[in-house]
Amino acid sequence: MQSTKLHFDSALTPKGWRQDVTVSVAPDGMIASVETGRAEGVIHVSGIAVPAMPNVHSHAHQRFMLGLAECAGPGADSFWTWREAMYGFALRLSPEDLEAVAAQLYVDMLKSGFSVVGEFQYLHHQPDGTPYDEPAEMSLRCLAAAEAAGIGITILPTLYAFGGFGGQPPVPGQRRFINGADRFLRIVEALSRKAGPQTRVGISPHSLRAVTPELLREVIAALPEGAPIHIHVAEQVKEVEDCLAFSGLRPVEMLLKEFPLSDRWTAIHATHMTAAETEALARSGAIAGLCPTTEANLGDGIFPATDFATARGIIAIGSDSHITVSPAEDLRMLEYSQRLRDRTRNALAAGPGRSTGRSLYDAALKGGARSMRQPVGMIAPGYRADVTVLDADHPLLAARSQDAALDSWIFSGGNALVSDVFVAGRHLVQDRRHIHEETILRNFRNALRRLDS
Ligand SMILES: [Zn+2]
């Protein structure tokens, strides 16, 4: 790629909002400079440029069951009945299907303003549980999908060995997920060999139910220093009860006791915490990877975001089951959950007079970049040119600029306000259309047809 210059009417930079901004992008996709004024030969995109958002938690395969799990079952529906339905879908996906579903999902992510995805990938084996000849087959399909869509990816193959606390055997529905340390590390190695400049490789121990501390320590010892580690924790009350019954500790307590947490770790959900756990998780430097629309859809509970913020905890957001794919909607749901619980307003604004949308956006950019271990989250030299552009001509932005425009996007307009998205300076979404939209959509439709038959 050649170096390019992108010009925006306004942009959110580390120094605040700036008008009439030219961003110079080096051939490697990194930002070389950010200047005021419009030079010759720039690509002009009218609108409001903000750093694109990282999406730290994705299970791509779940995208194809959305809309199919919203009917009431014979008894009380819960996370656990939903999980049964999800396993049924997951058992049918072939490698081709996963690649097609993931590519469409990643296009949808880009069109909503995300530029990096953390893929927590636990479908490893053939439907009958036999490993593929290439044990990393399914995760490699996610890398191929990310490349086709152009999105950055932090691939997090899932370590899943057991069906419950204390090394219980897995259930038949989990047969595609299961690996011991050796085969799991072969998956990590295969992914590392294939990793391009927009890829990072980490791991995702599924949960404290699915690994033992001994197994996880063995795997971590074999990883490159600093490789990111994501784990589901304390999403469900039953998980807290099972953990207490097994160990006498709550899940977040157990995680903090067994491992030296740091910003290398992302605790996904961390919904059910005591005040002491909230404080200790914040102090550890681990990122809380929140998935507010999925957590609402699954009836998980409410994350203690105001207390976590007071303790200077770092948050990031993810679309998880992809019931919605929208940074705006996830940030909105996060804020609204606190308002509904506390009967208050502007719960997560960073202080008096500060915009709530801006406070949430800044926090999730910083935590998201850290969680993904990617050089993103700022329109500034040395960062990758991942930029989301809001359509300044949209009626909702007619008389809005700067933080008020961000608040209008997050609380009112959502995805409809995103017009253009760049990743590493590549103009992937142009006036609401992805550059490979037709091909990727055709493959997705074909996969759904195969899965329906
Ligand atoms: Zn998840």
Side-chain angles (χ1 to χ4, degrees):
M1 203 177 111
Q2 299 173 317
S3 48
T4 46
K5 288 183 189 293
L6 312 174
H7 179 260
F8 306 104
D9 295 335
S10 68
L12 179 58
T13 76
K15 294 176 186 145
W17 290 99
R18 293 287 179 270
Q19 303 299 310
D20 185 23
V21 173
T22 294
V23 176
S24 299
V25 184
D28 63 359
M30 304 299 282
I31 297 175
S33 66
V34 178
E35 285 158 324
T36 306
R38 183 172 174 172
E40 285 289 298
V42 296
I43 299 170
H44 172 70
V45 179
S46 79
I48 302 162
V50 296
M53 182 61 71
N55 183 341
V56 304
H57 192 60
S58 164
H59 305 293
H61 71 275
Q62 293 179 10
R63 176 69 165 177
F64 96 106
M65 65 176 280
L66 62 88
L68 299 179
E70 309 299 329
C71 293
D77 285 295
S78 70
F79 170 86
W80 306 99
T81 55
W82 171 86
R83 194 181 75 156
E84 276 309 307
M86 186 271 285
Y87 282 1
F89 288 106
L91 285 172
R92 288 156 51 197
L93 278 177
S94 71
E96 294 74 23
D97 298 333
L98 179 61
E99 185 173 339
V101 170
Q104 180 64 49
L105 169 67
Y106 298 161
V107 164
D108 293 339
M109 282 185 191
L110 288 164
K111 289 168 75 173
S112 76
F114 287 118
S115 72
V116 186
V117 56
E119 187 58 51
F120 194 119
Q121 207 300 103
Y122 56 85
L123 273 183
H124 296 301
H125 310 315
Q126 299 181 48
D128 68 357
T130 313
Y132 290 101
D133 292 343
E134 166 52 79
E137 173 73 32
M138 295 294 264
S139 300
L140 287 167
R141 295 293 183 147
C142 292
L143 292 193
E147 195 170 323
I151 200 167
I153 187 168
T154 295
I155 184 79
L156 304 156
T158 300
L159 178 62
Y160 206 123
F162 304 108
F165 286 99
Q168 294 170 39
V171 299
Q174 296 165 338
R175 62 185 176 271
R176 298 191 79 175
F177 318 160
I178 306 299
N179 285 298
D182 288 350
R183 193 166 61 208
F184 178 73
L185 287 168
R186 291 219 303 281
I187 294 176
V188 175
E189 276 166 32
L191 293 167
S192 304
R193 278 196 302 275
K194 284 277 180 185
Q198 286 177 208
T199 303
R200 299 288 181 277
V201 181
I203 64 165
S204 58
H206 179 272
S207 55
L208 293 168
R209 301 191 300 274
V211 299
T212 58
E214 298 70 38
L215 173 68
L216 182 51
R217 272 192 281 273
E218 182 188 344
V219 166
I220 292 173
L223 296 178
E225 188 128 349
I229 305 167
H230 288 215
I231 184 167
H232 292 126
V233 66
E235 179 179 10
Q236 284 285 318
V237 170
K238 180 178 183 308
E239 178 193 342
V240 177
E241 290 165 353
D242 290 353
C243 191
L244 273 167
F246 167 69
S247 67
L249 297 171
R250 302 167 58 85
V252 172
E253 276 178 330
M254 184 173 166
L255 193 62
L256 286 158
K257 172 172 169 273
E258 294 287 350
F259 297 97
L261 296 196
S262 66
D263 68 358
R264 173 187 193 184
W265 288 75
T266 300
I268 303 296
H269 306 304
T271 312
H272 300 287
M273 296 193 288
T274 61
E277 285 176 300
T278 305
E279 171 96 31
L281 186 68
R283 233 182 304 118
S284 76
I287 296 127
L290 309 176
C291 311
T293 58
T294 292
E295 289 153 9
N297 181 266
L298 295 178
D300 286 345
I302 298 174
F303 176 78
T306 47
D307 290 347
F308 195 65
T310 304
R312 308 178 83 81
I314 301 166
I315 60 158
I317 54 163
S319 58
D320 191 358
S321 71
H322 314 302
I323 190 70
T324 56
V325 173
S326 166
E329 284 191 46
D330 266 318
L331 292 174
R332 185 192 311 159
M333 180 63 75
L334 174 60
E335 167 69 21
Y336 282 178
S337 67
Q338 311 298 302
R339 294 189 189 187
L340 287 163
R341 184 196 58 206
D342 298 340
R343 299 187 295 279
T344 179
R345 295 196 73 251
N346 298 318
L348 294 168
R354 303 282 291 276
S355 143
T356 303
R358 172 74 184 278
S359 303
L360 287 162
Y361 204 77
D362 283 350
L365 280 176
K366 178 177 158 193
R370 231 179 249 196
S371 171
M372 294 290 86
R373 304 256 143 180
Q374 301 237 9
V376 297
M378 283 196 199
I379 300 178
Y383 288 79
R384 198 164 70 212
D386 288 16
V387 178
T388 292
V389 185
L390 305 179
D391 177 4
D393 294 329
H394 191 284
L396 284 174
L397 297 182
R400 298 289 178 274
S401 63
Q402 305 192 0
D403 288 354
L406 212 48
D407 281 325
S408 299
W409 176 29
I410 292 168
F411 291 104
S412 298
N415 291 355
L417 266 51
V418 176
S419 66
D420 292 71
V421 176
F422 295 82
V423 178
R426 284 179 71 203
H427 199 173
L428 295 173
V429 178
Q430 304 183 7
D431 196 13
R432 297 182 170 78
R433 291 192 67 77
H434 186 277
I435 55 170
H436 302 309
E437 185 147 326
E438 283 77 18
T439 322
I440 288 172
L441 180 59
R442 196 179 324 118
N443 294 341
F444 177 67
R445 285 212 169 106
N446 288 339
L448 289 195
R449 231 170 268 136
R450 278 197 299 276
L451 288 160
D452 260 355
S453 62

